[in-house]
Amino acid sequence: MGKLYEFNLEKEKKTLFVRASGFFKEEDTKLYFSEFQTIVNTINPSIYKLIVDASELEAVEPFLIDDTKFVLNLYTNARFKKLVIINSTCPVSKTQIDNCAKEINFKCVFATSVKEAYRL
């Protein structure tokens, strides 16, 4: 199976667009962390919007909830100009992300579509 995520750095729009889908396992999250950080190191996040399309993301195993919190903190610590997360259509995944965001006081805007995310 291929990668469960892709990064698209849109320099002209000052946007880093991330699409995450499927069922992440521990090894997927480690690769994701590394690739995300490599891309962020090439830009000035304070002038970029980060859009994370989690609409096709499936629920994670309970032991990976800490990884979800880690990723949200990674987004915060990068200090993007704006953080937008497109809600998962999987109710369990959406609830997991919402709960993690509340638990760590993650500040972002939630959107329901890619189109809405770019408008925000």
Side-chain angles (χ1 to χ4, degrees):
M1 184 173 181
K3 285 180 18 177
L4 299 174
Y5 57 89
E6 63 183 86
F7 297 101
N8 187 11
L9 184 59
E10 301 168 344
K11 291 186 177 184
E12 68 286 347
K13 294 180 182 178
K14 298 286 189 228
T15 300
L16 174 55
F17 182 85
V18 180
R19 183 178 315 272
S21 62
F23 185 78
F24 272 66
K25 294 182 174 74
E26 189 172 9
E27 57 272 10
D28 300 312
T29 58
K30 287 178 182 174
L31 287 171
Y32 180 89
F33 298 157
S34 176
E35 288 186 44
F36 177 81
Q37 198 59 56
T38 299
I39 291 170
V40 169
N41 289 341
T42 68
I43 62 171
N44 176 358
S46 68
I47 61 172
Y48 275 75
K49 177 193 290 188
L50 173 64
I51 298 175
V52 179
D53 182 357
S55 62
E56 296 178 12
L57 195 61
E58 295 178 22
V60 298
E61 293 291 338
F63 67 91
L64 290 176
I65 291 294
D66 284 341
D67 285 347
T68 302
K69 293 178 206 172
F70 182 84
V71 169
L72 297 179
N73 278 316
L74 191 67
Y75 297 158
T76 298
N77 293 336
R79 302 189 189 282
F80 282 90
K81 181 177 181 179
K82 184 173 245 180
L83 298 167
V84 181
I85 296 184
I86 301 168
N87 287 320
S88 176
T89 56
C90 169
V92 175
S93 178
K94 181 183 180 319
T95 299
Q96 286 176 328
I97 293 169
D98 288 347
N99 289 342
C100 287
K102 287 176 190 168
E103 188 174 323
I104 65 167
N105 200 26
F106 178 68
K107 303 291 185 212
C108 76
V109 178
F110 286 99
T112 57
S113 69
V114 171
K115 187 176 179 179
E116 179 186 3
Y118 275 96
R119 279 197 318 254
L120 295 171

